[in-house]
Amino acid sequence: QKEVEQDPGPLSVPEGAIVSLNCTYSNSAFQYFMWYRQYSRKGPELLMYTYSSGNKEDGRFTAQVDKSSKYISLFIRDSQPSDSATYLCAMNPPQGAQKLVFGQGTRLTINP
Amino acid sequence: DTGVSQNPRHKITKRGQNVTFRCDPISEHNRLYWYRQTLGQGPEFLTYFQNEAQLEKSRLLSDRFSAERPKGSFSTLEIQRTEQGDSAMYLCASSLVDRGRNIQYFGAGTRLSVL
């Protein structure tokens, strides 16, 4: 079993829809949670990060962390065709190498 | 451009050849990471540096792989005697560790194709 599980999709929604992306994890030591967006043949671009449990909002994006359920989410409101990309969740513990452990990534397409 | 820079962007090589990639991190960042990403998968950790010291290597990093970060600035990743299974995107990330927070910023990656 992988440390971080993420549905690879693909997920296709109409423009303007609310998108929900999710990851589950097994390592309770994870404290920092990140969402990266990756366009085809590009490097991952940091969208948001949260520490421990709670919500964080940045424009059309909202990240949620539920440590009790080991479940994190990213919501995209008023989705745009330019949001079409692969979304990667990542997390790391607060000590040591703090290497990121990634989910598989969810491929999202927003249809005009 | 003050982001993480990687060169070359794409490398095509024949099996058995040696290749070297370079990463220039964000200037004030003290940590530098290498990851590998294959098609349809998330990046996987290879190794990392704290300043010039290489502190951890993944089991994915066979003895054909070597990484350096002289003077704690740019880093190079060399693969000797390349194999077709080495074909992947090699990503570099840098970060500034601050009170436990370690937010990593990635470069555009080097795509390696081994023929």
Side-chain angles (χ1 to χ4, degrees):
Chain A
Q1 184 183 3
K2 294 182 179 179
E3 277 191 289
V4 179
E5 298 279 358
Q6 183 176 12
D7 186 339
L11 180 62
S12 181
V13 301
E15 183 176 356
I18 296 175
V19 177
S20 172
L21 304 167
N22 312 293
C23 290
T24 58
Y25 64 96
S26 57
N27 188 345
S28 59
F30 291 145
Q31 292 282 352
Y32 288 95
F33 303 91
M34 282 138 278
W35 286 95
Y36 287 86
R37 177 173 64 194
Q38 187 173 29
Y39 292 112
S40 181
R41 298 185 178 271
K42 303 288 186 183
E45 171 195 7
L46 180 66
L47 276 178
M48 298 185 69
Y49 72 91
T50 53
Y51 172 70
S52 194
S53 285
N55 295 357
K56 188 172 184 178
E57 187 174 323
D58 184 0
R60 298 185 294 111
F61 298 89
T62 299
Q64 289 185 352
V65 175
D66 181 349
K67 289 197 69 183
S68 63
S69 301
K70 295 189 176 68
Y71 187 87
I72 70 171
S73 301
L74 178 72
F75 297 95
I76 307 174
R77 293 185 299 280
D78 187 25
S79 55
Q80 305 294 312
S82 59
D83 295 328
S84 298
T86 295
Y87 288 79
L88 296 155
C89 64
M91 47 202 78
N92 61 3
Q95 286 88 31
Q98 294 180 284
K99 53 197 172 188
L100 290 174
V101 181
F102 283 85
Q104 187 176 351
T106 299
R107 186 171 177 182
L108 172 67
T109 300
I110 309 297
N111 300 305
Chain B
D1 186 354
T2 57
V4 178
S5 176
Q6 289 189 249
N7 288 289
R9 291 294 312 277
H10 194 184
K11 179 71 176 179
I12 301 172
T13 190
K14 292 182 179 179
R15 190 174 51 189
Q17 298 295 305
N18 299 344
V19 295
T20 301
F21 312 140
R22 176 177 170 129
C23 172
D24 288 89
I26 295 171
S27 59
E28 63 269 24
H29 285 183
N30 55 358
R31 282 203 184 177
L32 187 149
Y33 295 79
W34 285 98
Y35 293 83
R36 182 170 72 184
Q37 185 178 25
T38 53
L39 197 62
Q41 301 298 317
E44 294 177 288
F45 170 79
L46 291 178
T47 188
Y48 93 102
F49 293 83
Q50 172 92 14
N51 299 313
E52 67 274 12
Q54 186 175 16
L55 297 184
E56 186 170 329
K57 293 189 286 187
S58 161
R59 288 171 298 175
L60 293 175
L61 215 64
S62 76
D63 56 7
R64 296 184 297 106
F65 288 69
S66 63
E68 295 183 342
R69 192 184 182 196
K71 303 179 182 178
S73 56
F74 71 92
S75 176
T76 57
L77 177 68
E78 180 183 16
I79 309 174
Q80 296 182 327
R81 306 181 303 281
T82 52
E83 301 173 356
Q84 287 186 325
D86 296 331
S87 295
M89 173 82 93
Y90 290 85
L91 294 163
C92 175
S94 71
S95 67
L96 178 64
V97 180
D98 176 22
R99 287 171 286 184
R101 191 179 72 169
N102 180 4
I103 307 303
Q104 297 176 32
Y105 296 89
F106 284 81
T110 294
R111 181 170 298 280
L112 174 65
S113 300
V114 181
L115 305 179

